[in-house]
């Protein structure tokens, strides 16, 4: 989201999303479907729970020796003839890619879906340098045509109804297309085929990178990822350093749970394993292969409260079940990664100040943790994050004073009783038919949308005497 | 020697101020089941609202006061899953730097039970022997369900109750949108989550939605009443307690 859009307070961005009826329709439909598919997939996968534990343990162990596995990965990629580039920041990653573009005279780039490249705003950087990036994942293609950002980690155009996509295609691609997903997909395929053939470079992310074989793993459903890695003469893969795993054996645990968590599939339609550039005797594959190992704020979190967020597989399951995400969608969050895990990743990548309000965009219901394939304790980390906001004095002064006063009341029974008495007095003018409907000041935040029972005429503590 | 089972009621701040009738129902119900009930005075709140907003030092101050209040209690019964979760799962961690208090917190955590769990798992009373007339449905409070892993006890208790027709609530395990301070920090999001819950409650055809958490009750009752719905939101204890003794 642009800086200007981010100046609108989060609560207003959320409010706008709540009033957007087609967004509401699209979100309910898609998230409900994803939830059902995931549930069904794990119900028929008895090894699932163990695989989740195993996958979590692998992530834990890998982070313990992250430098070791990254070096192993880099060595193996280079041994296969690939080039490895280390990038501390997103800008560095973009610069590296632009340099390769300049050196190899790249005019057109085809991309498969990658959150890492969204994170570093690579498309903007490429366009700025006169290189044309073309998204080839259908959802990404849709939002690129609409000049928007993804609103879901795996379903970037989840906020759009099929009718909106038909209108978009008709307008931009100059035709008359019906709101029929099959027709629209065929239209996109035809448009994209030409682009694939023109492209000088293919850019992908990486779902996993296997250290001991130097393999980049891409999990996709449309086959575009495979074409991106094999048709153009150069392949660049951009990955966060959290994506490395030790071995192919480890990979099996992840593949079993990733697609099930994301889309309810046993395995995605395409699982593409890429090892370096085209080897002697091979018929397909690029002349050059580049791997960008990007930190961009990750490494410093290894020892922080947010450490577990580095286990994230980017499956999107926590978004689908999050009551907040299901109401407001991804754009309202304002950053690349939406939903409960997105709040943590945003804190990681953009700093705590960026999540001053977002840290509270959760009822802490725990549904996210329950579905997370690697059981990331997202609610706990949101609470930790809130604690940091107080400690770093990022939380508003008024809030901090309020909560500290509140603590004083809760530790002083006489004050607690006084608060009850004051509440009873103050509510008097507002009680109608045994309920409060129209409270002023901050209390209006409750009564705007629901009633409140009045403070009881006699609290339980006061009634206890006659109950003994 | 086996005397009667003794339990202390931790009524919670919302229970004390907004739902005293729930506390009364719990006392009546437990006494009916032969439990000796006491109510340690000067209770306020478990500190969960402070904890969840990230004010852990302040939450620890509240906990430090609460722990000795129940120091002599054989069992502590809590009407809300979220407050029970706070005491059972979070109190000990608040005292990482104070081993003695941490031990006391752990001891309290072991003796503390959410009401439905106390009835079924400690008393073994999955039939409480009262009756309630009508079609009821059950909403899973997030902290009881996912925090304490409990979905069965309340349903068993309701299902065994004479006169009750228990129907399953569509999306029973989905949050009602309360979330403590979340409900006033993002009131519009909170109430739109609530609207979904209310729609599901009405879809269930029940006359009464039952929950084991004062937070969810505040939220759901508020939404139902604003909508002018005839469905009532009741605490489990109010359904189980039966009519007042003559």
């Amino acid at each position: 989201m642009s800086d200007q859009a981010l100046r609108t307070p989060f609560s207003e961005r959320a409010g706008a999303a709540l009033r957007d009826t087609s967004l509401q329709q699209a979100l309910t439909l898609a998230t409900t479907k994803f939830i059902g598919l995931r549930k069904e997939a794990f119900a028929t996968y008895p090894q699932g729970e163990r695989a989740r534990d195993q996958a979590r343990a692998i992530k834990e162990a890998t982070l313990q020796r992250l430098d070791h596995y990254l070096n192993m990965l880099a060595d193996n990629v280079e041994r296969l003839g690939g080039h490895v580039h280390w990038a501390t920041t997103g800008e560095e990653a973009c610069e590296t890619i632009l340099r390769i573009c300049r050196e190899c005279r790249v005019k057109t780039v085809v991309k498969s879906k990658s959150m890492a490249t969204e994170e570093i705003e690579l498309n903007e950087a490429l366009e700025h340098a006169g290189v044309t990036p073309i998204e080839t994942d259908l959802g990404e293609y849709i939002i690129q045509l609409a000049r928007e950002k993804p609103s879901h980690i795996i379903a970037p155009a989840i906020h759009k109804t099929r009718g909106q996509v038909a209108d978009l295609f008709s307008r931009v691609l100059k035709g008359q297309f019906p709101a029929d997903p099959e027709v629209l997909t065929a239209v996109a395929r035809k448009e994209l085929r030409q682009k694939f053939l023109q492209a000088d470079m293919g850019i992908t992310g990486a779902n996993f990178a296997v250290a001991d074989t130097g393999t980049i793993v891409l999990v996709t459903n449309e086959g575009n990822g495979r074409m991106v890695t094999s048709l153009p003469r150069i392949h660049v893969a951009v990955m966060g350093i959290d994506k490395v795993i030790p071995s192919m054996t480890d990979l099996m645990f992840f593949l079993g749970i990733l697609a099930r968590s994301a889309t309810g599939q046993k395995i995605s339609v395409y699982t593409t394993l890429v090892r370096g550039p085209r080897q002697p005797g091979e018929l397909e594959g690029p002349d050059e292969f580049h791997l960008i190992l990007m930190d961009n704020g990750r490494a410093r979190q290894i020892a922080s409260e947010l450490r577990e967020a580095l286990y994230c597989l980017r499956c999107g399951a926590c978004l689908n079940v999050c009551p907040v995400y299901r109401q407001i969608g991804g754009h309202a969050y304002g950053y690349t990664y939406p939903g409960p895990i997105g709040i943590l990743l945003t804190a990681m990548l953009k700093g705590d100040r960026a999540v001053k309000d977002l840290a509270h965009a959760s009822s802490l219901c725990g549904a996210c943790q329950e579905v997370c394939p690697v059981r990331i304790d997202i609610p706990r980390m949101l609470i930790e994050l809130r604690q940091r906001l107080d400690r770093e004095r990022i939380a508003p002064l008024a809030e901090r004073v309020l909560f500290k006063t509140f603590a004083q009341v809760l530790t002083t029974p006489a004050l607690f009783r006084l608060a009850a008495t004051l509440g009873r007095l103050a509510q008097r003018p507002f009680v109608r038919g045994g309920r409060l409907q129209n409270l002023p000041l901050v209390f209006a935040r409750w009564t705007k949308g629901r009633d409140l029972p009045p403070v009881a005429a006699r609290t339980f503590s006061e009634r206890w005497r006659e109950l003994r | 020697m086996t005397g009667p089972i003794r339990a202390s009621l931790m009524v919670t701040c919302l229970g004390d101020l907004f739902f005293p009738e729930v506390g009364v129902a719990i006392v009546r119900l437990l006494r009916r089941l032969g439990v000796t009930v006491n109510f340690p005075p000067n209770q306020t709140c478990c500190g969960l609202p402070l904890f969840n907003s990230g004010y852990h030092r302040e939450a620890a101050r509240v906990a430090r006061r609460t722990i000795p209040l129940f120091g002599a209690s054989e069992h502590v019964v809590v009407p809300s899953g979220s407050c029970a979760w706070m005491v059972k799962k979070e109190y000990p961690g608040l005292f990482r730097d104070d081993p003695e208090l941490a031990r006391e917190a752990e001891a309290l955590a072991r003796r503390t039970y959410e009401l439905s769990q106390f009835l079924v798992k400690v008393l073994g009373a999955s039939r409480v022997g009262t009756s309630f007339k009508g079609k009821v449905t059950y909403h899973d409070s997030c902290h009881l369900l996912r925090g304490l892993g409990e979905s069965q006890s309340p349903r068993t208790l309701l299902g065994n109750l004479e006169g009750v027709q228990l129907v399953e609530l569509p999306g029973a395990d989905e949050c009602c949108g309360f979330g403590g301070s979340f409900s006033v920090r993002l009131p519009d999001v909170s109430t739109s989550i609530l609207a979904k819950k209310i729609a599901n409650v009405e879809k269930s055809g029940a006359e009464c939605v039952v929950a084991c958490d004062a937070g969810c009750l505040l939220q759901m009752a508020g939404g139902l009443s604003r909508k002018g719905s005839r469905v009532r939101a009741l605490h489990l204890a109010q359904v189980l307690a039966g009519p007042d003794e003559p």
Side-chain angles (χ1 to χ4, degrees), chain A residues 10-11 14-15 18 28 39 323-324 326-328 360-367 370 380 383 386-387 390 395 399-400 403-404 406-413 416-417 420 435-438 445-456 458-464 467-468, chain B residues 9 11 13 15-21 23-24 27 31 37-39 42-45 47 49-58 61-62 65 85 90 142-143 146 173-175 177-179 181-194 196 218-219 222-223 225-226:
Chain A
F10 169 65
S11 57
L18 293 172
T28 306
K39 208 174 258 176
V324 177
R326 298 183 79 189
Q327 293 301 318
I328 66 171
H360 294 281
S362 164
S363 67
L364 304 176
C365 79
E370 191 177 47
R380 165 154 314 270
I383 294 173
R386 294 171 183 184
Q387 200 181 359
D390 170 42
E399 178 197 307
R400 289 170 32 230
F403 274 94
K404 281 158 207 206
F406 187 32
Q408 195 58 46
V409 173
L410 296 183
T411 45
T412 320
F416 185 77
R417 285 190 287 268
R435 57 194 177 173
L436 301 163
Q437 290 200 304
N438 221 340
R445 287 167 164 266
W446 182 278
T447 54
K448 195 180 149 211
R450 54 219 138 158
D451 295 350
L452 187 70
V455 175
R458 284 159 68 239
T459 62
F460 181 83
S461 306
E462 288 159 347
R463 290 176 71 169
W464 170 250
L467 289 170
R468 326 171 69 136
Chain B
L9 175 63
V11 77
C13 55
D16 196 25
L17 300 176
F18 292 109
F19 303 110
E21 63 279 9
V24 173
V27 172
R31 284 182 178 159
V37 187
N38 79 340
F39 179 70
N42 291 325
Q43 296 183 31
T44 58
C45 163
L50 296 166
F51 182 83
N52 274 355
S53 277
Y55 295 90
H56 291 198
R57 249 176 323 185
E58 290 73 15
R61 280 179 58 203
V62 175
R65 227 198 114 255
W85 171 83
E90 296 300 340
C142 297
H143 282 87
R146 286 178 280 268
D173 62 348
E174 288 171 14
C175 178
F178 176 65
S181 73
F182 170 80
S183 64
V184 287
R185 284 180 198 267
L186 291 167
D188 297 338
V189 182
S190 171
T191 47
S192 73
I193 298 171
L194 172 62
K196 265 191 187 170
L218 202 67
Q219 173 88 341
S225 135
R226 175 60 55 96

Side-chain angles (χ1 to χ4, degrees), chain A residues 202-252:
Chain A
I203 300 182
T204 68
N207 291 94
F208 306 97
V210 182
D212 73 350
T213 56
T215 310
I216 303 305
V217 184
L218 295 172
V219 174
T220 68
N221 272 322
E222 296 170 18
N224 62 314
R226 191 163 287 180
M227 294 235 285
V228 167
T229 60
S230 55
L231 268 182
R233 57 193 162 89
I234 307 162
H235 172 201
V236 177
V238 186
M239 61 174 265
I241 52 172
D242 49 322
K243 294 285 152 198
V244 67
I245 55 171
S247 73
M248 292 299 281
T249 321
D250 297 324
L251 178 64
M252 295 310 132

